Amino acid sequence: VLMSLHELDLAQKISDYVICVHGDRIEKYGTPEEIFTSEYIHHLYGITTGSYNASFGCLEMGAPAGKPQVFVIGGNGRGIPVYRKLQRAGIPFIAGVIHSNDLDYDVAKALAAEVISEEPFEAVTEEHLEKAEKMKVCTCLNPLHTALAIYGCLLGYTLISEEMKNPLLKNMVEVIGYKEGLPVVVNPGILDPKKFIDEVVNVRIPNPFLPDSPQRIATDTSQKLSIRFGETIKAYEASPDLHTEDLKLIPLVYAGWLRYLMGIDDEGREFTPSSDPLLEEARQYVADYELSSAPKDLSKLDAFLVNEKLFGVNLHAIGMDTLVKQYFAELSSGVGAVAAALKKYVPEKVTL
């Protein structure tokens, strides 16, 4: 039987011998094993931007250009149709964590912007997973979300993505992520911390198709501050090369939360803070404060700011309470004071 085929995978499976025509001549003749190699198929078809997988007998198009917008968790062939759909849509993505002998691996390598992988038959180590989770929770994603949630509620935003159009809010999270958090991040090995922050700041948080609201993310903030900011402060305290007094915007987030607890936005309008198990208890510490430029007795905050369980550290013991109280006094000095404080303390340009 003589068959003329363009379906490479079918020709590879059913042929005893293959004749390859290149231009107007027969260029090569041989068994499927001799013909269907990656090198020869690239040559035969002049492939420059895609790739040929000799194991599957299939061609893959080139990976979409740009910063990754999606993280695909695949494995055992389940990721392949997702990879190809994203490629057709022109959406760059990261694939992982997959072993280098997994069915998904070769297609992921061809189509993904980045593949996070482990060696064959090796477990994804707990150390790598723990470091990756700590990097995300303590520095590279969750703290930035919390900072935007607090200030988004104060400034009247209803979408996190809209906040990133405000240069001061965008610069605030860049300073918290790159300048204050990144120096103490332990690289987990399976994710590059800086690249992860790049994705968070430039792709994930500004994505209008992720309808996160500051009001939702502000839920249970009292349970989040210690891990999302306190761990960074502890790392500064423990480092011989870093100085806690260099942290300027993490204290501004703490002060912003105190201002948030007042339940009055920057226009002077009342709002209902999101649910939180410590909401009523925490609000008692700011209950006597009003939006006013008159001097405030900030000593009422002292018993609150020593709460190590809440803030991750005793802010008085490390000398950060003074700055937090100063910020709070400015943030609560009247209508428009939140925006004014951001303009005063957040740099107009962040050099990375």
Side-chain angles (χ1 to χ4, degrees), residues 48-73:
T48 57
T49 58
S51 63
Y52 173 74
N53 187 312
S55 299
F56 292 113
C58 63
L59 290 165
E60 302 292 349
M61 305 302 289
K67 292 181 179 295
Q69 300 179 36
V70 179
F71 187 95
V72 182
I73 301 174

Side-chain angles (χ1 to χ4, degrees), residues 7 19 76 130 150 166 177 197 203-204 236 243 255 259 299 307 312 316 333 339:
E7 292 80 5
I19 298 172
N76 198 32
E130 183 179 346
I150 291 170
N166 182 324
I197 298 178
V203 179
R204 187 177 302 194
Y236 270 75
H243 308 286
R259 173 66 179 79
S299 65
N307 190 328
H316 176 71
S333 63

Side-chain angles (χ1 to χ4, degrees), residues 46-312:
I47 298 171
T48 57
T49 58
S51 63
Y52 173 74
N53 187 312
S55 299
F56 292 113
C58 63
L59 290 165
E60 302 292 349
M61 305 302 289
K67 292 181 179 295
Q69 300 179 36
V70 179
F71 187 95
V72 182
I73 301 174
N76 198 32
R78 292 174 296 177
I80 292 175
V82 180
Y83 305 156
R84 289 173 175 163
K85 186 173 183 179
L86 289 170
Q87 192 280 333
R88 290 194 300 273
I91 300 173
F93 65 93
I94 297 174
V97 175
I98 52 180
H99 293 88
S100 58
N101 64 340
D102 191 276
L103 199 59
D104 281 348
Y105 182 76
D106 287 336
V107 179
K109 290 290 286 184
L111 301 181
E114 180 181 349
V115 179
I116 300 170
S117 63
E118 290 280 1
E119 292 300 313
F121 310 109
E122 293 290 334
V124 179
T125 65
E126 289 294 330
E127 179 184 5
H128 281 177
L129 290 176
E130 183 179 346
K131 287 179 179 178
E133 182 65 14
K134 187 173 183 180
M135 179 190 75
K136 177 177 79 75
V137 171
C138 298
T139 304
C140 298
L141 172 60
N142 294 8
L144 311 189
H145 261 158
T146 295
L148 289 171
I150 291 170
Y151 280 94
C153 290
L154 290 172
L155 294 173
Y157 285 94
T158 56
L159 285 175
I160 290 287
S161 58
E162 286 297 310
E163 290 187 66
M164 293 300 282
K165 297 177 183 179
N166 182 324
L168 288 176
L169 293 177
K170 184 175 186 292
N171 289 354
M172 177 183 70
V173 295
E174 286 185 350
V175 171
I176 292 171
Y178 292 109
K179 299 293 188 179
E180 298 189 349
L182 193 58
V184 296
V185 171
V186 177
N187 192 326
I190 60 173
L191 287 173
D192 179 86
K194 184 179 181 302
K195 288 182 179 179
F196 187 72
I197 298 178
D198 289 342
E199 179 189 346
V200 167
V201 171
N202 298 308
V203 179
R204 187 177 302 194
I205 297 179
N207 188 343
F209 300 106
L210 297 177
D212 273 332
S213 70
Q215 292 74 23
R216 185 191 73 79
I217 296 175
T219 301
D220 298 337
T221 297
S222 70
Q223 310 300 297
K224 303 170 182 175
L225 295 174
S226 62
I227 186 67
R228 297 188 177 187
F229 301 102
E231 291 299 312
T232 295
I233 298 172
K234 288 178 186 177
Y236 270 75
E237 286 287 295
S239 172
D241 303 315
L242 298 171
H243 308 286
T244 307
E245 56 267 27
D246 291 334
L247 296 173
K248 301 301 182 184
L249 295 195
I250 287 178
L252 189 63
V253 175
Y254 282 161
W257 185 58
L258 299 180
R259 173 66 179 79
Y260 164 90
L261 292 172
M262 295 174 67
I264 303 172
D265 70 14
D266 202 34
E267 297 296 323
R269 298 170 300 207
E270 292 188 3
F271 69 88
T272 302
S274 303
S275 61
D276 189 309
L278 295 182
L279 182 61
E280 294 308 314
E281 177 186 342
R283 294 192 75 181
Q284 293 177 14
Y285 289 96
V286 300
D288 295 334
Y289 297 115
E290 298 178 349
L291 292 190
S292 169
S293 59
K296 294 179 172 65
D297 178 9
L298 299 175
S299 65
K300 298 177 182 179
L301 298 173
D302 290 344
F304 196 38
L305 298 179
V306 299
N307 190 328
E308 186 173 340
K309 184 176 181 181
L310 184 64
F311 296 102

